[in-house]
């Protein structure tokens, strides 16, 4: 099967590379000539574990190529995936479909033979039909069907998510298109991945509904964390206690500083707008958006309280990206929390394993080469992102480097009892600061975060 992937950003690149690994012949196209030139040299523009190996192996195997000529890629393709960006439109929060529609026009002019045109980018309900209308208008003779095939890739584990998804969702109206899409995902039939065939509208909505539901789960547990702090509970035990109910499920119940990233903030906002325009407002999702925004400010206040005020103080910050294993800073809680601390008079020394280059464009603070350098002479440390390398800090070194042994851990990577024993004043999320930690008598207690 020959596949053209239009857009070589995060979604396009990961999807294109993984589809070539399935054995298809894939050309990833992008208008950015410098990006394509770099990819041709084997340079991957994003940090995603395992992506460089897959790209290198499939380029070598002749199944993956990069180019700037959309027409050439589309002409021979059996399936054309649109994986261009859909940022939030400035001002109103709607998804900006300029790039999607521009790609549709170009695709229309290049189509030859029967082709399935697939929207892979996250697009509002109805977009697939709009793309279809554009293609029909530009090229009335084109022989094509449309399909919607949203991605559910998590940054940092996108390759694994693509290879072993919980499900694949495909919206299309004809058996012929279903046949092509079955062929695209044939390797997944071997490990019995459910493929949900539905209408294009349902498929488009599934993506938004999934992200809004996950964002709701996180926001719910964050509110429970705040309540635990007031009434003396332990949010991790609350999460475990409710998560073991199969109807609730234990994943995405890890309390923290609020969700960020390229998807949840943008998609929840877009869903709210779509629903309002449709006259069926999603009041629950509206509340989630507002509570999550507020949470980031509340975290700045929590830090200020822990430090007894931050004016004139130096704060070491570990982790800047919205989550570990990515260099992505989009909507990271650090972008709200750190400027708030700086406005209150704090000096920030920060370290992030992969995010420094992106963070330096957005934050004006001292960037350090490793965790211990960031800690040097600081009045305390704040853990903002749960990178693995922060999970096993050398406490003796930490205490020597810090002026006072204060740790604010917004990801709950340590246990209060352990930190108290190590001689730290330890402030975490949804747990009593100095409590010994609740013992839950459960065989094979598993991590239930994400
Ligand atoms: C998400 C969806 O998971 C993915 O299916 C979709 O395609 C894109 O959006 P991603 O943004 O890469 O993926 O990260 P994810 O792991 O879902 O985390 C999103 C945010 O939620 C992060 O800021 C993370 O720290 C936060 N989070 C996640 C929590 O605070 N608690 C949790 O239990 C899980």
């Amino acid at each position: 099967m020959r596949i053209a992937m239009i857009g070589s950003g995060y979604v396009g690149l990961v999807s294109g590379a993984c589809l070539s690994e399935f054995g298809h012949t894939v050309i990833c196209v992008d208008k950015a000539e410098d990006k394509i030139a770099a990819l041709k040299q084997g340079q991957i523009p994003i940090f995603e574990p395992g992506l460089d190996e897959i790209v290198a192996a499939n380029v070598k195997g002749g199944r993956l190529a990069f180019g700037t000529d959309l027409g050439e890629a589309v002409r021979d393709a059996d399936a054309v995936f649109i994986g261009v960006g859909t940022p939030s439109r400035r001002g109103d929060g709607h998804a900006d479909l300029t790039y999607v529609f521009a790609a549709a026009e170009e695709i229309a002019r290049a189509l030859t033979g029967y082709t399935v045109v697939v929207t892979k980018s996250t697009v509002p309900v109805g977009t697939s039909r709009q793309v279809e209308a554009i293609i029909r208008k530009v090229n009335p003779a084109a022989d094509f069907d449309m399909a919607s095939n949203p991605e559910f890739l998590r940054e940092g584990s996108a390759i694994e998510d693509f290879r072993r998804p919980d499900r694949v969702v495909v919206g299309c109206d004809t058996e012929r298109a279903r046949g092509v899409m079955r062929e695209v995902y044939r390797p997944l039939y071997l490990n019995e991945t459910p493929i949900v065939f539905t209408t294009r509208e349902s498929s488009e909505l599934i993506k938004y509904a999934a992200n809004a539901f996950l964002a709701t789960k996180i926001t719910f547990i964050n509110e429970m964390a705040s309540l635990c702090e007031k009434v003396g509970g332990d949010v991790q035990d609350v999460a475990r206690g409710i998560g073991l109910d199969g109807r609730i499920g234990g994943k995405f119940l890890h309390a923290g500083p609020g969700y960020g990233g390229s998807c949840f903030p943008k998609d929840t906002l877009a869903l709210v707008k779509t629903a309002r325009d449709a006259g069926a407002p999603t009041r629950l999702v509206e509340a989630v958006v507002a509570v999550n925004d507020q949470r980031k400010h509340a975290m700045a206040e929590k830090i200020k309280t822990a430090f007894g005020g931050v004016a004139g103080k130096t704060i070491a910050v570990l982790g800047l990206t919205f989550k570990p294993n990515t260099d992505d800073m989009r909507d990271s809680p650090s972008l709200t929390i750190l400027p708030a601390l700086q406005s209150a008079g704090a000096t920030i020394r920060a370290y992030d394993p992969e995010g420094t280059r992106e963070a330096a464009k957005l934050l004006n603070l001292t960037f350090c080469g490793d965790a211990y350098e960031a800690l040097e002479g600081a009045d305390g440390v704040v853990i903002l992102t749960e990178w693995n390398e922060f999970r096993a800090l050398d406490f003796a070194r930490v205490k020597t480097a810090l002026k006072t042994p204060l740790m604010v851990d917004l990801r709950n990577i340590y246990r209060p009892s352990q930190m108290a024993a190590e001689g730290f004043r330890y402030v975490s999320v949804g747990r009593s600061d100095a409590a010994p930690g609740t013992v839950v008598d459960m065989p094979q207690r598993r991590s239930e975060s994400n």
Side-chain angles (χ1 to χ4, degrees):
M1 178 140 296
R2 301 178 76 87
I3 292 174
M5 181 63 66
I6 313 304
S8 299
Y10 190 84
V11 169
L13 193 54
V14 171
S15 307
C18 289
L19 287 170
S20 71
E21 243 225 338
F22 283 0
H24 304 304
T25 304
V26 181
I27 302 186
C28 290
V29 179
D30 205 288
K31 281 198 180 319
E33 288 180 10
D34 49 344
K35 187 191 280 182
I36 293 298
L39 281 164
K40 282 183 170 170
Q41 302 290 316
Q43 291 159 19
I44 311 292
I46 50 169
F47 175 78
E48 181 60 39
L51 183 58
D52 44 0
E53 282 104 329
I54 290 196
V55 168
N58 287 287
V59 167
K60 197 165 166 229
R63 287 178 300 274
L64 180 62
F66 301 100
T68 51
D69 189 341
L70 182 147
E72 194 188 314
V74 167
R75 251 188 305 281
D76 298 327
D78 303 298
V80 176
F81 283 78
I82 302 178
V84 297
T86 53
S88 279
R89 207 160 61 191
R90 214 170 278 167
D92 65 4
H94 273 293
D96 182 346
L97 297 175
T98 314
Y99 303 116
V100 174
F101 294 153
E105 285 196 26
E106 277 194 69
I107 291 166
R109 281 190 279 272
L111 286 175
T112 55
Y114 178 70
T115 315
V116 178
V117 179
V118 190
T119 47
K120 191 82 181 145
S121 309
T122 301
V123 288
V125 184
T127 304
S128 172
R129 283 195 201 278
Q130 285 177 280
V131 170
E132 180 179 2
I134 290 171
I135 296 177
R136 292 224 184 279
K137 190 165 166 223
V138 174
N139 183 356
D143 181 17
F144 75 104
D145 276 315
M146 285 298 304
S148 154
N149 173 219
E151 51 80 22
F152 301 99
L153 308 174
R154 284 165 305 172
E155 291 184 22
S157 49
I159 307 292
E160 195 54 20
D161 286 349
F162 201 99
R163 281 178 177 159
R164 266 176 274 280
D166 290 338
R167 80 314 203 177
V168 170
V169 174
V170 176
C172 59
D173 300 337
T174 69
E175 192 44 46
R176 198 176 180 193
R178 268 192 286 277
V180 169
M181 294 306 286
R182 267 193 202 102
E183 193 52 30
V184 168
Y185 285 105
R186 195 167 46 84
L188 294 181
Y189 280 85
L190 293 175
N191 47 14
E192 297 180 355
T193 304
I195 315 263
V196 179
F197 283 107
T198 181
T199 64
R200 285 183 269 163
E201 283 72 18
S202 297
S203 170
E204 288 165 339
L205 198 51
I206 284 168
K207 169 67 195 230
Y208 282 101
N211 275 353
F213 192 85
L214 293 170
T216 303
K217 251 186 130 175
I218 297 166
T219 306
F220 178 84
I221 204 66
N222 284 342
E223 285 202 321
M224 287 302 116
S226 299
L227 183 57
C228 282
E229 286 171 19
K230 296 284 183 207
V231 299
D234 180 329
V235 73
Q236 312 237 143
D237 287 339
V238 173
R240 199 171 302 121
I242 63 172
L244 286 168
D245 183 329
R247 294 169 300 176
I248 296 173
K251 292 181 179 171
F252 275 66
L253 283 178
H254 197 85
Y259 62 77
S262 63
C263 289
F264 287 173
K266 172 170 78 77
D267 294 350
T268 43
L269 217 50
L271 181 61
V272 162
K273 297 290 175 193
T274 301
R276 273 196 205 153
D277 289 355
T282 47
R283 286 169 50 201
L284 196 57
V285 185
E286 287 180 24
V288 166
V289 170
V291 171
N292 192 64
D293 282 345
Q294 207 280 326
R295 181 153 187 92
K296 300 177 191 174
H297 296 285
M299 290 300 108
E301 292 308 313
K302 186 179 173 77
I303 295 167
K304 286 184 204 167
T305 307
F307 277 76
V310 294
K313 303 227 169 113
T314 300
I315 302 177
V317 171
L318 301 185
L320 296 167
T321 51
F322 78 99
K323 66 173 204 174
N325 294 325
T326 178
D327 61 354
D328 202 334
M329 285 294 296
R330 280 177 284 180
D331 272 305
S332 177
S334 65
L335 296 176
T336 304
I337 296 171
L338 301 186
L341 298 178
Q342 288 173 310
S343 309
T347 301
I348 311 275
R349 296 168 58 80
Y351 165 66
D352 188 282
E354 295 292 340
T356 304
R357 203 175 45 152
E358 288 304 309
K361 298 175 193 165
L362 302 161
L363 291 166
N364 183 14
L365 43 84
T366 304
F367 294 97
C368 301
D370 67 33
Y372 300 101
E373 188 190 328
L375 297 167
E376 208 50 60
D379 293 278
V381 55
V382 175
I383 296 179
L384 270 190
T385 317
E386 69 277 34
W387 285 91
N388 271 342
E389 65 179 83
F390 305 147
R391 289 177 187 271
L393 291 171
D394 176 341
F395 295 130
R397 266 184 89 183
V398 173
K399 279 195 288 187
T400 311
L402 289 177
K403 269 198 253 169
T404 39
L406 166 63
M407 179 183 284
V408 181
D409 175 5
L410 298 185
R411 299 287 184 169
N412 288 356
I413 63 177
Y414 292 111
R415 286 195 316 262
S417 52
Q418 171 196 14
M419 297 311 287
E422 293 287 348
F424 280 87
R425 194 158 83 72
Y426 178 69
V427 177
S428 60
V429 175
R431 305 183 296 184
S432 149
D433 298 351
T438 314
V439 175
V440 181
D441 195 4
M442 285 197 330
Q444 290 182 335
R445 199 161 118 175
R446 280 174 299 158
S447 161
E448 297 285 353
S449 54
N450 45 34

